[in-house]
Amino acid sequence: MKTGLQTMLAHYGEENIHGAVIPPIFLNSTFVHDSYEAFQAGKGYYYSRHSNPTLEVLEKKLSALEGGEAAKVFASGMAAISTVLFNFLQQGDHVICSMPAYGGTFAILGPYMKKFGISVDFIDFRETERVRAAIKPNTKLIVCESYSTFFMEVFDVAAIVSIAKEHGLRTVIDNTCASPANFRPIEWGIDVVIHSASKYLGGHSDVIAGAVISSKAIIESIEQTEYVLFGGALGPFEAWLVTRGLKTFGLRMKQHADSALQIAKMLEENGKVARVNFPFLPSHEQYALAKKQFDEPSGLLSFELHGGRAAAARVINRLKYFKIGVSWGGFESLVYSPGMSGENEQFTGTEYDPRMEHLIRISVGLEDPVDLMEDLQSALESA
């Protein structure tokens, strides 16, 4: 029987163990068997680096949430990204990656993969034909994000998937920013979905975790090789925390979306703000595409000031409820500016370079939106 998102997250994938309303945590590293023959049959569990009942509860929920056939959870989002890349790629392969990209993805695909003889082209996916033109005889993989974490730019997913299928390429998308509450890439033909479950899926800023959702064949391939060899399995307690977070995932995402839209509209009307990077505003040039692909926004957006680094610093330092932090997607509101971290190789010499110093990214939390708007308005007076 098909259920709604919140009903599924409340009940699906959980075994009734001694009537416990919350699934127990299996903290043990080893599982024993009744006989030589039982162990040899390979049924059940035997070591938590391979599988664990607590992890399986979470994996069942995540695969259902994203509309995939199976899932594996990892010790971090970067563990999930690196595992997928090493599963698909070998020496001499070429990757096309959307730009801007998450910093960790940029670092592993760019400088790090060179020592394995794997090359990459970072392409602006807003111009679909540039992706087609970047394909080489040794291209194996297209890597992208539902939208970029600094500039919130989106691209035509259906067009990219069509190009990939035309050339027999696998597609991998990081859906952390949008979340499966608003966008389910597998329904659009994407092969593999990756998440930093530390963000919206966990939702409480108390766990580091990653996830990969895909077909059974791809997940089994990952499970049998990189998952075991790299040792990136998520711990049982961390898996339990993400499962706990998922209980309120749908409700939280509705609040994030509503508050972010109110704040984006307020920022758009403020004279100190030069631009609001939020494609769910009707005035944004990508509004029609964003409405076509996403059910709702998430709580992540950015805005650019008329002033430079000093103006951004003044605004950030005056904020009360938006705390300075590099992450996002939790219950609390956070603020960050790429200008705080110095030069970023990915943006040097690009159209984004001059925008970095006066850009402020905010993660809109679950506080009352009126209080958050008053906080921002008060801080912007100093810009």
Side-chain angles (χ1 to χ4, degrees):
M1 180 176 64
K2 186 176 177 59
T3 65
L5 184 146
Q6 273 301 129
T7 305
M8 182 276 289
L9 290 174
H11 299 284
Y12 180 73
E14 300 185 10
E15 300 295 336
N16 185 345
I17 300 175
H18 301 299
V21 69
I22 299 296
I25 309 173
F26 290 84
L27 289 172
N28 43 300
S29 60
T30 300
F31 299 83
V32 298
H33 295 73
D34 293 333
S35 67
Y36 180 103
E37 291 77 15
F39 184 93
Q40 195 174 42
K43 295 180 180 180
Y45 310 93
Y46 73 98
Y47 195 58
S48 283
R49 181 162 58 87
H50 293 248
S51 60
N52 178 286
T54 308
L55 273 65
E56 287 192 356
V57 170
L58 175 57
E59 289 165 352
K60 287 177 182 178
K61 289 182 183 292
L62 291 177
S63 60
L65 189 58
E66 278 285 8
E69 293 179 347
K72 291 304 294 182
V73 289
F74 294 81
S76 68
M78 279 307 300
I81 291 169
S82 59
T83 296
V84 168
L85 293 177
F86 280 108
N87 179 264
F88 281 120
L89 300 172
Q90 59 184 2
Q91 187 176 26
D93 285 347
H94 172 251
V95 181
I96 298 172
C97 182
S98 62
M99 188 271 184
Y102 166 63
T105 303
F106 178 82
I108 193 170
L109 275 176
Y112 191 80
M113 283 295 188
K114 285 181 181 178
K115 68 179 182 179
F116 298 105
I118 296 169
S119 60
V120 59
D121 280 318
F122 292 96
I123 302 294
D124 185 344
F125 275 34
R126 290 175 299 174
E127 300 179 35
T128 305
E129 288 308 308
R130 291 187 63 184
V131 178
R132 187 190 302 275
I135 296 173
K136 302 175 181 179
N138 61 332
T139 303
K140 294 294 173 63
L141 201 62
I142 292 179
V143 178
C144 52
E145 300 176 10
S146 49
Y147 49 83
S148 57
T149 61
F150 281 141
F151 298 98
M152 314 303 135
E153 292 169 344
V154 299
F155 63 93
D156 190 334
V157 174
I160 298 299
V161 167
S162 177
I163 291 172
K165 292 185 181 301
E166 179 185 334
H167 292 83
L169 306 178
R170 293 288 194 183
T171 48
V172 175
I173 194 167
D174 185 331
N175 194 33
T176 306
C177 291
S179 93
N182 304 312
F183 181 55
R184 290 156 299 282
I186 291 174
E187 295 177 2
W188 292 74
I190 293 286
D191 294 307
V192 180
V193 178
I194 294 174
H195 282 279
S196 168
S198 319
K199 310 296 194 295
Y200 288 123
L201 297 178
H204 291 75
S205 298
D206 56 7
V207 62
I208 301 294
V212 177
I213 303 97
S214 187
S215 66
K216 286 183 180 178
I218 289 174
I219 294 299
E220 285 176 1
S221 175
I222 289 172
E223 188 174 29
Q224 292 167 8
T225 51
E226 289 80 13
Y227 188 76
V228 175
L229 294 177
F230 293 173
L234 184 63
F237 180 62
E238 288 75 17
W240 183 88
L241 284 173
V242 179
T243 301
R244 182 277 314 266
L246 286 178
K247 300 290 188 184
T248 58
F249 172 70
L251 300 174
R252 288 188 286 105
M253 294 310 298
K254 288 179 181 178
Q255 182 64 56
H256 286 305
D258 182 65
S259 296
L261 188 56
Q262 290 185 57
I263 288 171
K265 289 178 179 178
M266 179 272 292
L267 289 170
E268 188 178 39
E269 296 170 359
N270 191 294
K272 299 293 184 73
V273 176
R275 176 182 171 86
V276 180
N277 299 309
F278 194 66
F280 303 93
L281 286 172
S283 59
H284 195 281
E285 63 271 18
Q286 291 191 300
Y287 176 74
L289 180 59
K291 292 294 289 184
K292 172 185 173 183
Q293 292 183 172
F294 303 96
D295 296 337
E296 295 285 346
S298 66
L300 198 65
L301 65 131
S302 68
F303 59 95
E304 300 171 42
L305 301 172
H306 286 293
R309 186 196 298 264
R314 287 194 298 270
V315 171
I316 288 171
N317 286 336
R318 285 195 61 175
L319 288 168
K320 177 182 178 181
Y321 296 121
F322 288 87
K323 304 300 184 182
I324 300 172
V326 297
S327 191
W328 43 270
F331 65 91
E332 79 286 18
S333 291
L334 293 174
V335 61
Y336 175 75
S337 173
M340 298 163 62
S341 300
E343 187 175 353
N344 189 313
E345 179 186 352
Q346 179 179 181
F347 300 106
T348 302
T350 70
E351 65 178 272
Y352 302 103
D353 202 359
R355 300 167 61 186
M356 300 298 282
E357 288 191 350
H358 62 246
L359 183 142
I360 296 176
R361 184 186 72 187
I362 57 174
S363 173
V364 180
L366 301 179
E367 301 94 338
D368 292 297
V370 170
D371 295 326
L372 295 179
M373 287 190 285
E374 288 179 356
D375 192 23
L376 283 163
Q377 287 171 330
S378 175
L380 281 167
E381 292 176 1
S382 66

